[in-house]
Amino acid sequence: MQKWIYIIVLLILFPLAGEAQCAMCKAIAESSQAGGSSIADGLNGGIVYLMAFPYLLMAGVGYAIYRNKKSRT
């Protein structure tokens, strides 16, 4: 049970390390959009694409845990 607490804490704290680049991405997107470039659209599409896989992985892990607990009872 204690192992799950460590995993949950890591999953909660891990996104904090990724926030460092958000300001830089925002600055690039705003400057390119003001110049009439489509870099902001590509950046937004890339973010959505990269965001999908962690959610799919978490859904798979959640389903595996649910199935494992259901089979034990």
Side-chain angles (χ1 to χ4, degrees), residues 2 16 22 32 35 52 60-61 66:
Q2 197 171 15
L16 296 177
C22 289
S32 70
V61 169
Y66 168 74

Side-chain angles (χ1 to χ4, degrees), residues 19-62:
E19 286 185 28
Q21 296 299 322
C22 289
M24 197 60 150
C25 291
K26 181 180 177 186
I28 290 171
E30 286 176 351
S31 66
S32 70
Q33 197 171 26
S37 178
S38 65
I39 292 176
D41 294 333
L43 185 62
N44 287 336
I47 289 169
V48 170
Y49 177 74
L50 290 173
M51 184 179 65
F53 289 104
Y55 283 110
L56 289 173
L57 286 172
M58 290 304 297
V61 169

Side-chain angles (χ1 to χ4, degrees), residues 4-27:
W4 289 107
I5 293 172
Y6 291 129
I7 292 172
I8 291 170
V9 169
L10 283 175
L11 290 174
I12 290 171
L13 295 178
F14 184 68
L16 296 177
E19 286 185 28
Q21 296 299 322
C22 289
M24 197 60 150
C25 291
K26 181 180 177 186

